[in-house]
Amino acid sequence: MNKYLPLILTGVLLNAFAQIVLKQGMRTIGTFAFSLENIIPIGIKVGLNPYVLMGLGCYGVSVVVWLMVLSRVDVSYAYPMLSVGYIVAALAGKSFFGEPVDLIRWAGIVTICIGVWLITRTA
């Protein structure tokens, strides 16, 4: 199963990249209220935002890649690998958006890394 690790990581990284790009898109749009009056203007802003469109495109490609993964690998092996996306998203959030990642979050990230490493050892 480890021979499919590059394919798995491609799907996971595409998914994490989609999150980061969507976040940037929503940063450019800004905070908005959910109301009937806002549905059309906010929908247009979101639907035309290049970052949002890129993020949705990455999601689409990641779904195709993930379907390829699931056709080749046990779901009990592949699905926990999605947690690598949490690591990437935390690091990207800190790097690109200046989001705080305190000691407790780093401890969680290290725990996730250890768990993913253990799962890959069982393949």
Side-chain angles (χ1 to χ4, degrees), residues 10 13 15 18-19 21 23 26 33 42 52 54-56 59-60 73 77 85 88-89 109 116 122-123:
T10 299
L13 293 176
N15 192 297
Q19 284 293 318
V21 177
K23 170 67 175 177
M26 296 315 294
I42 293 300
V52 171
M54 187 185 312
L56 293 174
Y59 267 136
V73 178
Y77 175 82
V88 172
I109 289 169
V116 170
T122 64

Side-chain angles (χ1 to χ4, degrees), residues 2 39 57 80 89 103:
N2 278 342
I39 288 176
L103 187 59

